[in-house]
């Protein structure tokens, strides 16, 4: 059992990027939403030995003060260190276990969710509280280890668990969704690291700056228009903007045949719009549907090769 005997428990949600990924790294606005039903979990409890972290998925245990064999163990150890530094805990003891239902390397924010859940469970172990603002900052530090140059959108949506309109360096901007949106998420089954996708875009930016910048500006405008559509309940408009965003991401070279196939299948089955979500090059697509089309779109996505299909309501 994950939490056997460990009393301090926490969790954090997966996320989708509704619009604006990649361009957000370069200062454009983007919109993200939590998936409350898909989560990462952490539990912590006291022990007599140096604080350690165990990942169920990686089947790995790392102590805060022991040498680490590889990058993933180093990242796990860093999570313990930055949390203890924040709380000013010296010579910490205890056990922390992390587990995630969020697919890894699928653009759904598994890294940020695991970090947020783990830090909250450690805070409880130390008998302390951590404001969301500070938690957001610590998870952002972890995101830098996982992704290199994150914009900060993933940690923000995962920590606040609300739809956000995000622009680098601006204050927190939580979104009010006028009409609930039903979103289908379908996984290509092709794992990709966000770090690699961000690196590919960086290379393109360095080689073809004006064309890349032009696409970013258009994506930024799409995100601004989408905010308006969300706040005024115009779902058809929102769907059209999502599809436009996908075309721009494809132009930037970050889609894949598998992603395009799922996007096309969902539109053919009645979705109002669809796009890749997250880093791209693999991972997941999202499609905007309503009650009358959700089942047909889900079926079409499975037939088109999606390895998993879920849906959730964004509100
Ligand atoms: C990843 O969920 C979104 C990207 O825009 C990277 C980032 O914003 O840090 C691809």
């Amino acid at each position: 059992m994950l939490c056997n005997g460990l009393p301090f428990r926490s969790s954090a949600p997966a996320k989708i990027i509704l619009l604006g990924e990649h361009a957000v790294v370069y200062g454009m606005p983007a919109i993200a939403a939590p998936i409350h039903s898909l989560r990462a979990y952490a539990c912590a409890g006291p022990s007599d030995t140096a604080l350690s972290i165990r990942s169920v998925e990686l089947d790995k245990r790392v102590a805060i003060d022991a040498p680490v064999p590889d990058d993933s163990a180093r990242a796990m150890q860093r999570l313990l260190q930055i949390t203890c530094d924040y709380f000013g805990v010296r010579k910490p003891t205890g056990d922390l276990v992390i587990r995630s239902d969020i697919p890894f390397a699928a653009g759904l924010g598994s890294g940020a969710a695991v970090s947020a859940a783990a830090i909250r469970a450690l805070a409880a172990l130390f008998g302390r509280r951590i404001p969301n603002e500070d938690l957001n900052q610590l998870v952002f530090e972890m995101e830098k280890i996982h992704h290199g140059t994150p914009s900060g959108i993933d940690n923000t949506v995962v920590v606040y668990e609300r739809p956000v309109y995000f622009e680098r360096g601006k204050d927190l901007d939580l979104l009010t969704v006028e009409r609930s949106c039903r979103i289908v998420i379908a996984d290509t089954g092709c794992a990709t690291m966000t770090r690699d996708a961000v690196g590919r875009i960086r290379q393109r930016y360095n080689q073809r700056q004006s064309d890349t910048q032009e696409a970013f500006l258009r994506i930024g405008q799409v995100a601004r228009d989408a905010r308006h559509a969300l706040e005024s309940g115009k779902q058809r408009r929102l769907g059209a903007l999502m599809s436009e965003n996908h075309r721009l991401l494809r132009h930037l070279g970050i889609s894949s045949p598998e992603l395009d196939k799922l996007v096309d299948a969902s539109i053919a089955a009645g979705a109002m719009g669809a796009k890749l979500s997250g880093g791209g090059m693999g991972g997941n697509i999202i499609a905007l549907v309503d009650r009358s089309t959700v089942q047909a779109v889900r079926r079409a996505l499975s037939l088109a090769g999606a390895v998993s299909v879920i849906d959730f309501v964004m509100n």
Side-chain angles (χ1 to χ4, degrees):
M1 267 289 286
L2 167 68
C3 281
N4 222 355
L6 301 177
F8 303 110
R9 300 169 190 194
S10 183
S11 71
K15 66 92 196 47
I16 54 156
I17 305 280
L18 191 66
L19 296 117
E21 52 274 269
H22 290 293
V24 68
V25 176
Y26 296 79
M28 300 300 139
I31 298 174
I35 313 167
H36 296 289
S37 53
L38 188 61
R39 304 185 76 85
Y41 301 89
C43 23
S47 82
D48 297 336
T49 52
L51 182 62
S52 71
I53 175 170
R54 180 164 73 84
S55 160
V56 172
E57 275 74 32
L58 297 179
D59 192 19
K60 197 172 275 185
R61 183 189 197 99
V62 179
I64 190 164
D65 56 357
V68 283
D70 55 37
D71 283 351
S72 63
R74 192 163 304 111
M76 288 163 66
Q77 192 177 59
R78 190 77 198 111
L79 182 62
L80 300 182
Q81 287 165 345
I82 64 164
T83 310
C84 290
D85 287 350
Y86 172 81
F87 287 112
V89 177
R90 287 182 220 287
K91 300 215 180 236
T93 55
D95 294 322
L96 173 72
V97 179
I98 51 177
R99 179 178 74 74
S100 181
D101 287 343
I102 308 168
F104 177 67
L108 296 178
S110 67
V114 166
S115 300
I119 295 168
R120 282 198 185 113
L122 286 174
L125 173 68
F126 300 149
R128 306 281 290 276
R129 289 181 69 82
I130 180 165
N132 278 343
E133 208 178 327
D134 293 359
L135 178 62
N136 198 19
Q137 198 51 47
L138 294 192
V139 178
F140 183 57
E141 290 307 313
M142 288 307 300
E143 288 292 280
K144 287 190 205 161
I145 295 170
H146 293 306
H147 294 168
T149 55
S151 63
I153 191 170
D154 287 13
N155 42 287
T156 303
V157 64
V158 158
V159 165
Y160 287 92
E161 300 205 24
R162 290 272 310 277
V164 294
Y165 183 82
F166 181 89
E167 250 177 294
R168 266 189 119 140
K170 299 247 172 101
D171 286 347
L172 177 68
D173 192 353
L174 299 175
L175 269 179
T176 306
V177 177
E178 173 61 26
R179 248 179 80 196
S180 302
C181 300
R182 191 172 287 273
I183 310 264
V184 177
I185 308 174
D187 194 342
T188 58
C190 310
T192 47
M193 302 299 287
T194 302
R195 173 188 282 277
D196 296 339
V198 170
R200 184 189 282 196
I201 293 284
R202 170 74 55 194
Q203 203 176 13
R204 188 186 200 280
Y205 183 80
N206 291 337
Q207 287 164 354
R208 298 169 63 189
Q209 190 159 341
S210 73
D211 179 77
T212 309
Q213 183 64 21
E214 168 71 24
F216 288 161
L217 289 171
R218 287 175 63 191
I219 291 173
Q221 192 53 48
V222 162
R224 274 181 217 105
D225 293 349
R227 174 181 201 152
H228 182 68
L230 268 173
E231 288 178 337
S232 52
K234 295 195 173 117
Q235 297 213 337
R236 296 232 157 250
R237 173 80 181 130
L238 179 64
L241 290 164
M242 288 168 64
S243 295
E244 171 66 8
N245 194 165
H246 184 72
R247 281 190 284 278
L248 289 162
L249 289 164
R250 200 170 52 196
H251 175 74
L252 288 172
I254 215 71
S255 192
S256 70
E258 293 83 1
L259 286 163
D260 289 343
K261 188 171 178 197
L262 295 187
V263 164
D264 292 347
S266 56
I267 299 289
M272 289 177 269
K275 63 181 277 292
L276 70 83
S277 182
M281 291 165 61
N284 281 267
I285 68 116
I286 55 172
L288 181 63
V289 297
D290 59 25
R291 268 209 223 141
S292 67
T293 51
V294 59
Q295 292 312 333
V297 171
R298 288 188 60 128
R299 250 192 323 275
L301 285 165
S302 296
L303 284 172
V307 297
S308 106
V309 180
I310 58 174
D311 65 273
F312 79 106
V313 174
M314 171 183 163
N315 48 26

